[in-house]
Amino acid sequence: MLELKQGSRAQQILDLVKGRGLVDINELARQFDVTPQTIRRGVNHLSELGLLRRVHGGVTLPVKGVNLPYEARQDQQLEGKRRIAAAVAAFIPNGASVSIGLGTTPHQVALALRSHKRLRVVTNSLRVVFALAGGDELEIAVAGGFLRPADLDVVGEAAVRCFNGFKTDFAVFGVGGIDADGMLLDFDPAEVAAREAMRLNCRQSLLVADASKFGRAAMARGGRLADMDHLFIDERPVAAFRTLLKQTRPQVHVA
């Protein structure tokens, strides 16, 4: 296995991409005080070695066929996820009805909503249930079906039927990745089906995504960024994706 020299520019670039998910070429050039052409040569070499992947205007990690385990994901971009969660909690009033999906960022939203009163929640995530349990005048409807033990969530036809049985004020959900054309991606078609059921059965859809989701690849597709009412992010994405955020929808909230 190839080992990069500790402290080298190549290792620093690799560490930055691992931490942020997607990094702009021009931003790397400014950070290392070199030309974009120099950075491109470096990331092209890392891409040839299979350590990085070039995308339009930037560089990201190689495509993986499956998502990381929950425990590995929950600490990634944690501060950004907490900022997103705080912004969502400030957006949702007391007494609202909310469907909350699976994933690490929606879980942070649930933690941020614990001080709300009279919430009515529909979810397919036991982590969301545990986060909200004991809330003031809280009502929770939990999707039935087969539990995925590693993630403590439920997907499949039963989860879709559950979300189809309610009309909530807000739906809060994450996504595996956002492609350059605005397509929303996930790692399992069953996750897409549950997310779409939430979106179609709410008054306002809230997509929560840290900056690493822009350009992240996953195989299951469903829905587009323009279908969302609101997008809560922790920072602006790289330049290649900014045109997506200049459209009428979604309304963008930078936490």
Side-chain angles (χ1 to χ4, degrees):
M1 180 179 176
L2 175 70
E3 292 187 6
L4 299 179
K5 184 178 179 180
Q6 187 67 29
S8 67
R9 182 194 299 157
Q11 183 63 61
Q12 291 180 64
I13 291 173
L14 188 59
D15 291 341
L16 278 170
V17 177
K18 285 181 178 179
R20 297 180 56 182
L22 177 66
V23 183
D24 186 272
I25 292 293
N26 291 322
E27 181 181 344
L28 287 172
R30 288 191 297 270
Q31 179 157 341
F32 291 102
D33 195 24
V34 296
T35 65
Q37 291 76 14
T38 298
I39 290 296
R40 288 191 185 95
R41 286 195 295 270
V43 298
N44 284 343
H45 178 62
L46 291 171
S47 298
E48 291 169 0
L49 296 173
L51 299 175
L52 294 178
R53 178 171 65 96
R54 284 291 306 275
V55 296
H56 180 64
V59 59
T60 186
L61 295 175
V63 177
K64 301 294 184 182
V66 295
N67 205 1
L68 291 172
Y70 192 96
E71 287 70 19
R73 286 182 281 128
Q74 64 183 351
D75 293 330
Q76 292 183 329
Q77 291 82 42
L78 182 57
E79 289 306 313
K81 293 173 183 178
R82 285 173 173 166
R83 294 200 308 272
I84 291 171
V88 172
F91 186 81
I92 294 175
N94 291 323
S97 58
V98 189
S99 54
I100 304 178
L102 54 89
T104 57
T105 308
H107 177 236
Q108 289 297 322
V109 172
L111 291 170
L113 288 170
R114 285 188 294 188
S115 61
H116 277 49
K117 302 179 185 300
R118 304 182 309 281
L119 285 183
R120 291 160 293 159
V121 176
V122 187
T123 186
N124 59 336
S125 168
L126 291 187
R127 296 181 190 273
V128 169
V129 175
F130 299 151
L132 289 171
D136 194 355
E137 302 177 60
L138 174 73
E139 296 179 9
I140 304 181
V142 186
F146 292 98
L147 179 72
R148 298 196 298 185
D151 292 320
L152 292 179
D153 59 37
V154 177
V155 294
E157 293 182 5
V160 171
R161 286 197 302 270
C162 178
F163 289 124
N164 284 339
F166 295 89
K167 180 77 171 186
T168 59
D169 297 324
F170 304 95
V172 179
F173 44 79
V175 68
I178 302 172
D179 209 4
D181 63 358
M183 180 63 66
L184 302 183
L185 306 172
D186 270 302
F187 293 89
D188 185 338
E191 296 175 356
V192 173
R195 170 165 54 78
E196 280 292 279
M198 294 174 64
R199 181 182 68 84
L200 294 171
N201 292 284
C202 73
R203 295 179 178 87
Q204 296 189 63
S205 56
L206 281 60
L207 174 61
V208 293
D210 65 78
S212 71
K213 298 301 176 66
F214 288 89
R216 189 182 186 203
M219 288 190 64
R221 54 181 284 175
R224 304 187 67 85
L225 195 58
D227 298 331
M228 306 298 114
D229 295 310
H230 300 272
L231 170 66
F232 286 80
I233 54 180
D234 58 335
E235 60 182 81
R236 294 281 179 183
V238 298
F241 285 88
R242 288 174 192 164
T243 55
L244 290 174
L245 305 185
K246 294 180 180 178
Q247 310 303 318
T248 305
R249 296 179 64 188
Q251 181 178 342
V252 180
H253 308 258
V254 182

